[in-house]
């Protein structure tokens, strides 16, 4: 007989609200082990006792096959004296001993719950709020830890006897599922039309479905806020939504019920299929199929379509269960807000702010505590590339390569996401948005408070972008209360973010290409085409795109033809009337612009790569005026994919005598113009331009090979899948180790991660 052993196992990570204790209980029971499991504020503590091999087996199962939503960060074991006994118990008491446990993100409805929702014999048949320990809202309904019902917005719903029994039964799928409820005790659906007429439950639901089928616009309360929904197959419905939302040409995301429907509208490769149907259920950008039954106005001029699968039980009801009347198979699901405002998540606010946008409201009485937009990803070379990290991902921690003191990094002003960190963990907030109005600023304030509550981090250090006019930085200075506020250069932070993601501890310096639209440089210029030799402590600007004047600031961002004219002027190329941006620029504006460029009045020098993409897009007649950020580059990329460049190549000049080296686009622009005049298709010119930028990256990397073996690619320009693919291919062919973003976005939504490390490495 093998001697009995008793093992204490401390598990840290995401282990509360994910069915961890029932898993431990059933695993221990199956092995005939006695002992206990309890939560504490730092995770779960397990004691198991039994025969040695069984105890080992238990530990292996725990580590290798934990429940699907659990994230085991650390597992510490310790032999302790045996105490005997035959029972395994789940201890209910939660004791605080100063550690930290982690909240789970919101999780899409699981297949077990979906099955129950469709089963006429199940007591949760057609339940709009079905959930269990494996799925349901978490982040958006928890005020603070420890995670129990009292600290969620389900606190006001008393469980019925049946739900209470499931909740208390360690062998039940709903054991301690905090949002557990059923049609008898859970939240109630309510539909309201424009005239304030209200219908409840199934009657309300069918009114909402009828509104969609009739081409109306429905405000639907989801997990992280209100969506505006309409029939995506109807040009009329989409046109009305576009006008009301003041959306310009900006693409809308769509929702479908299943993978099969998605495959009928976009090209779904295997990694995209996995992302689409995973528990996070993000919006995945995929190439739109030529004859997809989706209105063109859903994403005008855009080669891609953002698609997500229904993720809340209410969504599946909205599409209809077997037996329901057929509704639209594809729905637009866009954030419930006016362009630029934060997403609506409170009912009163939704009724008021969406009153000019929606024809009806499908609401319920489970409150959303914090708003959380849908996440957006795309797949490049089989690997996921986050564009917006929000619902389903926040607040999962990101492991840091080096420990930091308790810190808050406020991020950037565009696509803001902040982060808190302590020790070797960072927690990025959900997507907050552009910090250009009071509403976003208050959303920022609420989100950082919530994030601190969920993580227990009490920041002793604040980190901000170096831009003197950023509202995020001003917020930090206002709220510092004597704590140090460290300033970090924008593009350095981009590179540090991708280094941190890849676990680099700062002992190796990288060659970083930080290409984006805009970021404040030390010399007060607008940077964005930067080659940096960097670690966390510092960075050296090895090369930059040659400065051109950005005349009049934002107006030149909105009108790419101005950037084209500015590039022509800076490179000594004439403004010939046959060039598309010249004819697109009204004569008065052209005169004023010329004057500005000659005198420098209202001009800021910029090395932005994003603006160079704008200029090329305008030069070949793709896009002269944009309605949303990066539209000119997005359309250029769309035309340039899967196009054969032929033998012709374009090449940048690099002046290596200068310090930093100056990347001169003049020969590229001259070639673009000459091809354009020769009638070469825009897609071919675009493909040659993308290849030239990729070649530039490879050439510089080769030249600097003695300095750095690792190449880091970051900044919003690397959301461009074609450029990223070409750059990766070229660099790998030359034997470089290349790091790109997988966990945080390459755009400004990922910058807080870099700020955390640089801000603490002085
Ligand atoms: Zn479930
Ligand atoms: Zn119930």
């Amino acid at each position: 007989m093998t001697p009995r052993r008793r093992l204490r196992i401390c598990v840290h990570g995401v282990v509360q609200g994910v069915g961890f204790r029932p898993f431990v209980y059933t695993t221990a029971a199956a092995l005939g082990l006695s002992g206990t499991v309890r939560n504490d504020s730092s995770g779960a503590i397990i004691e198991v006792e039994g025969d040695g091999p069984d105890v080992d087996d238990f530990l292996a199962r725990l580590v290798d096959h934990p429940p699907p939503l659990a994230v085991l960060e650390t597992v510490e074991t310790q032999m302790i004296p045996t105490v005997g006994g035959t029972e395994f118990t789940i201890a209910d008491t939660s004791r605080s001993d100063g550690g930290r446990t982690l909240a789970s993100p919101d999780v899409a409805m699981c297949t077990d719950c979906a099955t129950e929702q469709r089963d006429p014999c199940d007591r949760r048949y057609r339940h709009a709020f079905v959930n269990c320990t494996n799925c349901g809202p978490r982040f958006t309904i928890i005020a603070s830890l420890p995670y129990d019902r009292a600290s969620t917005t389900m606190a006001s719903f008393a469980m019925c006897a049946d739900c209470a029994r499931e909740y208390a039964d360690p062998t039940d799928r709903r054991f301690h599922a905090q949002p557990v409820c059923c049609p008898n005790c859970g939240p109630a659906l309510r539909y309201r039309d424009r005239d304030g007429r209200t219908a409840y439950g199934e009657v309300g639901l069918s009114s909402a479905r009828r509104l969609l089928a009739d081409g109306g616009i429905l405000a639907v309360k989801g997990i992280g806020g209100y969506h505006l929904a309409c029939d995506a197959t109807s040009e009329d419905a989409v046109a009305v939504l576009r006008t009301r939302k003041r959306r310009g040409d900006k693409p809308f995301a769509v929702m479908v019920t299943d993978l099969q429907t998605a495959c009928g509208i976009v090209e779904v490769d295997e990694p995209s299929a996995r992302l689409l149907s995973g528990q996070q259920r993000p919006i995945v950008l995929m190439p739109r199929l030529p004859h997809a039954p989706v209105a063109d106005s859903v994403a005008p001029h855009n080669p891609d379509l953002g698609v997500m699968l229904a993720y809340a039980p209410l969504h599946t009801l909205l599409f209809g269960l077997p037996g329901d009347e057929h509704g639209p198979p594809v729905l637009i699901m866009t954030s419930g807000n006016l362009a630029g405002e934060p997403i609506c998540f409170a009912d009163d606010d939704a009724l008021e702010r969406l009153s000019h946008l929606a024809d009806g409201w499908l609401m319920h009485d489970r409150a959303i505590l914090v708003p959380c937009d849908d996440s957006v990803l795309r797949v490049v070379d089989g690997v996921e590339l986050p564009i917006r990290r929000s619902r389903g991902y926040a607040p999962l921690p990101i492991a840091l390569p080096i420990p930091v003191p308790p810190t808050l990094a406020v991020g950037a002003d565009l696509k803001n996401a902040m982060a808190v960190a302590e020790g070797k963990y960072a927690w990025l907030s959900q997507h907050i948005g552009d910090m250009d109005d009071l509403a976003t600023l208050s959303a920022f304030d609420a989100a950082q408070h919530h994030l601190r509550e969920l993580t227990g981090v009490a920041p002793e250090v604040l980190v901000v972008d170096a831009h003197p006019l950023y509202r995020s930085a001003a917020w930090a200075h206002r709220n510092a209360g004597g704590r140090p506020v460290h300033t970090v250069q924008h593009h350095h932070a981009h590179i540090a973010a991708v280094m941190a993601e890849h676990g680099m501890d700062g002992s190796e310096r990288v060659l970083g290409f930080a290409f984006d639209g805009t970021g404040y440089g030390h010399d007060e210029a607008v940077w964005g085409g930067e080659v940096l030799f960097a670690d966390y402590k510092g960075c050296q600007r090895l090369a930059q795109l040659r400065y051109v004047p950005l005349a009049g600031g934002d107006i030149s961002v909105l009108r790419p033809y101005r950037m084209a004219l500015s590039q022509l002027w800076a490179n000594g190329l004439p403004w010939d009337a046959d060039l598309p941006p010249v004819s697109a620029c009204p004569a008065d504006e052209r005169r004023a612009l010329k004057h500005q460029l000659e005198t420098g009045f209202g001009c800021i020098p910029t090395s932005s790569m994003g603006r160079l993409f704008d200029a090329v897009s305008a030069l070949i007649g793709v896009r002269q005026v944009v309605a949303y950020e990066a539209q000119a580059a997005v359309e250029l990329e769309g035309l340039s994919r899967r196009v054969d460049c032929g033998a012709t190549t374009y090449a940048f000049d690099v002046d290596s005598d200068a310090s930093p080296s100056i990347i001169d686009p003049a020969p590229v622009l001259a070639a673009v113009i000459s091809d354009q005049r020769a009638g070469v298709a825009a897609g071919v010119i675009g493909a040659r331009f993308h290849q030239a930028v990729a070649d530039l990256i490879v050439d510089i990397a080769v030249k600097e090979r003695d300095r750095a073996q690792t190449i880091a690619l970051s900044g919003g320009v690397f959301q461009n899948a074609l450029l990223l693919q070409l750059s990766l291919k070229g660099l790998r062919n030359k034997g470089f180790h290349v790091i790109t973003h997988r966990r945080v976005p390459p755009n400004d939504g990922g910058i807080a991660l870099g700020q955390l490390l640089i801000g603490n490495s002085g």
Side-chain angles (χ1 to χ4, degrees):
M1 203 179 115
T2 49
R4 280 174 77 83
R5 279 165 45 190
R6 191 175 183 90
L7 198 63
R8 172 178 288 156
I9 308 167
C10 297
V11 184
H12 293 222
V14 181
V15 292
Q16 292 189 19
V18 295
F20 189 73
R21 287 181 299 163
F23 159 80
V24 168
Y25 172 87
T26 48
T27 308
L31 292 166
L33 302 175
S34 62
T36 59
V37 56
R38 64 183 168 87
N39 282 343
D40 76 353
S41 67
S42 67
I45 297 172
I46 305 161
E47 290 186 13
V48 281
E49 181 172 333
D51 290 344
D54 294 334
V55 170
D56 292 343
D57 196 6
F58 173 85
L59 187 61
R61 291 190 201 187
L62 177 80
V63 172
D64 298 337
H65 304 287
L69 301 186
V71 180
L72 273 51
E73 299 285 357
T74 60
V75 178
E76 291 156 18
T77 60
Q78 183 194 355
M79 291 286 280
I80 54 173
T82 56
V83 297
T86 53
E87 279 208 324
F88 194 93
T89 54
I90 296 181
D92 236 350
T93 46
S94 106
R95 249 181 21 194
S96 179
D97 51 10
R100 166 178 296 125
T101 187
L102 309 174
S104 159
D106 302 311
V107 179
M109 178 168 61
C110 73
T111 47
D112 288 339
C113 286
T115 305
E116 290 175 350
Q117 193 192 37
R118 280 161 190 271
D119 178 0
C121 301
D122 194 277
R123 69 187 197 90
R124 290 190 177 82
Y125 178 53
R126 298 187 70 86
H127 185 34
F129 306 93
V130 58
N131 69 80
C132 70
T133 47
N134 300 322
C135 74
R138 299 284 188 276
F139 176 68
T140 51
I141 63 165
I142 314 172
S144 60
L145 290 173
Y147 175 55
D148 57 36
R149 194 170 175 107
S151 57
T152 72
T153 62
M154 284 299 290
S156 55
F157 296 91
M159 276 183 267
C160 70
D162 287 336
C163 287
R165 196 176 321 113
E166 293 166 339
Y167 181 87
D169 178 358
T171 63
D172 194 277
R173 202 173 91 243
R174 294 193 166 86
F175 176 69
H176 281 212
Q178 304 303 347
V180 69
C181 61
C182 73
N184 296 324
C185 64
L189 277 185
R190 165 168 109 250
Y191 174 78
R192 235 183 91 134
D193 71 11
R194 296 204 103 165
D195 303 320
R197 282 184 297 249
T198 305
Y200 294 91
E202 286 288 344
V203 181
L205 180 65
S206 51
S207 306
R209 300 183 61 230
R210 205 169 316 120
L211 178 73
L212 290 172
D214 292 345
I217 293 167
L218 177 71
V220 196
K221 186 172 180 180
I223 299 296
Y226 275 82
H227 281 117
L228 290 168
C230 75
D231 181 355
T233 66
S234 158
E235 288 288 357
D236 291 344
V238 180
V240 170
L241 177 58
R242 217 168 251 297
T243 311
R244 289 192 194 164
K245 225 188 148 187
R246 294 184 218 149
R247 179 87 168 178
D249 276 351
K250 194 168 181 191
F252 287 121
V254 300
M255 179 182 276
V256 295
T257 43
D258 51 33
L259 201 53
Q260 196 190 341
T261 314
C263 292
I265 58 175
V266 284
E267 254 176 62
V268 186
D269 60 8
E270 202 271 315
S272 299
R274 240 183 303 117
L275 281 175
L276 276 175
S277 39
Q279 66 192 37
Q280 291 92 358
R281 296 283 161 103
I283 295 167
V284 183
L285 299 181
M286 289 164 291
R288 178 192 172 135
L289 291 174
H291 302 293
V294 171
D296 286 335
S297 53
V298 169
H301 316 293
N302 199 305
D304 296 325
L305 209 51
V307 181
M308 62 183 145
L309 300 193
Y311 56 84
L314 181 54
H315 296 150
T316 48
L317 293 174
L318 202 55
F319 280 101
L321 297 185
D324 284 339
E325 249 177 86
H326 283 295
V330 187
L331 290 176
I332 283 187
M333 277 283 183
T334 186
S335 303
N337 55 9
L338 258 186
E341 292 178 355
I343 189 171
C344 281
F345 65 101
D347 301 333
D348 291 350
D349 189 41
L351 284 171
E352 194 186 309
R353 271 210 287 150
L354 305 181
S355 61
H356 301 292
L357 281 75
D359 300 311
W361 285 257
L362 186 57
M363 326 174 71
H364 58 73
D365 51 356
R366 183 179 70 202
I368 297 170
L369 198 73
V370 289
C372 194
D373 286 82
D374 294 316
S375 294
V376 184
L377 291 103
R378 80 190 308 176
V379 170
V380 180
D381 269 1
V383 176
E384 66 186 81
L385 174 71
I387 306 285
R388 182 163 79 199
R389 183 187 186 273
S390 203
R391 179 188 48 77
Y393 297 88
L396 278 180
I398 293 177
L400 294 178
I402 39 178
V404 298
T407 305
L408 168 67
V410 299
D413 266 20
L414 290 177
K415 299 185 173 63
N416 180 270
M418 80 208 73
V420 296
E422 180 171 1
K424 292 188 96 169
Y425 291 112
W427 292 268
L428 258 72
S429 75
Q430 70 273 45
H431 166 80
I432 307 295
D434 296 347
M435 307 268 290
D436 50 8
D437 62 19
L438 213 59
T440 315
L441 200 61
S442 72
F444 174 93
D445 201 40
Q448 64 83 26
H449 180 260
H450 184 237
L451 196 58
R452 286 195 284 111
E453 286 293 320
L454 290 192
T455 59
V457 174
E460 292 163 11
V461 177
L462 306 181
V463 190
V464 305
D465 191 273
H467 198 301
L469 299 178
Y470 265 6
R471 286 181 168 84
S472 52
W475 180 94
H477 286 289
R478 265 199 317 278
N479 291 279
R483 292 171 294 179
V485 179
H486 298 308
T487 298
V488 171
Q489 200 277 326
H490 192 92
H491 301 94
H492 187 195
H494 272 309
I495 299 302
V498 69
M499 288 170 63
E501 254 192 63
H502 288 264
M504 296 188 70
D505 65 5
S507 57
E508 179 196 346
R509 289 213 257 178
V510 304
L511 188 67
F513 291 83
F515 289 175
D516 67 358
T518 177
Y520 185 81
H522 302 307
D523 55 359
E524 299 181 15
V526 175
W527 290 15
E530 314 307 317
V531 185
L532 307 174
F533 184 46
D535 57 17
Y536 300 125
K537 286 196 168 58
C539 80
Q540 184 188 347
R541 194 185 193 196
L542 293 184
Q544 63 159 103
L545 202 55
R546 199 171 100 178
Y547 283 138
V548 290
L550 181 72
D554 279 350
I555 193 167
S556 287
V557 178
L558 295 171
R559 300 177 189 171
Y561 64 74
R562 292 173 64 96
M563 283 320 298
L565 296 186
S566 182
Q567 282 288 0
L568 292 172
W569 179 84
N571 291 290
L573 298 163
W575 290 0
D576 292 329
D578 67 322
L579 293 173
V582 178
S583 52
C585 185
D588 293 353
E589 188 179 344
R590 225 181 301 154
R591 267 193 301 278
L593 179 60
K594 188 156 188 284
H595 179 73
Q596 271 192 292
L597 293 171
E598 281 166 354
T599 58
F601 177 75
C603 291
I604 311 166
T606 182
S607 54
S608 164
M609 184 59 86
R611 298 288 85 77
L612 182 63
F613 272 79
D614 286 353
V616 170
S617 186
L619 273 174
I620 57 177
V622 173
R623 174 62 47 192
Q624 305 299 343
V625 176
V626 299
Y628 60 94
E629 197 206 1
Q631 184 181 5
V634 166
E635 292 179 10
L636 182 66
E637 180 200 344
L639 288 172
S640 310
R641 282 190 207 158
R642 295 170 202 182
V643 170
D644 184 2
C645 295
T648 309
T649 54
Y650 304 159
F652 287 84
D653 265 351
V654 179
D655 176 1
S656 310
D657 296 335
S659 181
S661 297
I662 301 296
I663 301 162
D664 186 354
V668 171
L669 295 167
V672 165
I673 292 165
S674 143
D675 274 355
Q676 201 268 337
R677 284 189 169 135
V680 177
V684 175
I685 302 178
R688 288 173 182 167
F689 174 69
H690 279 80
Q691 187 63 56
V693 178
D695 291 346
L696 170 76
I697 292 170
V698 176
D699 291 348
I700 293 177
V702 168
K703 199 165 73 62
E704 303 291 347
R705 195 191 283 271
D706 290 346
R707 273 197 235 251
Q709 287 299 313
T710 300
I711 311 299
L713 306 178
S714 188
V717 168
F718 289 104
Q719 290 171 123
N720 181 321
L722 177 61
L723 177 67
L724 186 55
Q725 264 162 348
L726 293 171
S727 308
L728 283 169
K729 191 173 158 208
L731 288 165
R732 286 176 182 153
N733 279 344
K734 298 283 180 191
F736 287 103
H737 173 230
V738 191
I739 56 175
T740 60
H741 288 280
R742 291 179 185 189
R743 304 198 63 187
V744 305
N747 60 46
D748 289 1
I751 230 166
L753 180 60
Q755 290 178 341
L756 286 172
L757 287 152
I758 301 171
N760 285 301
S761 296

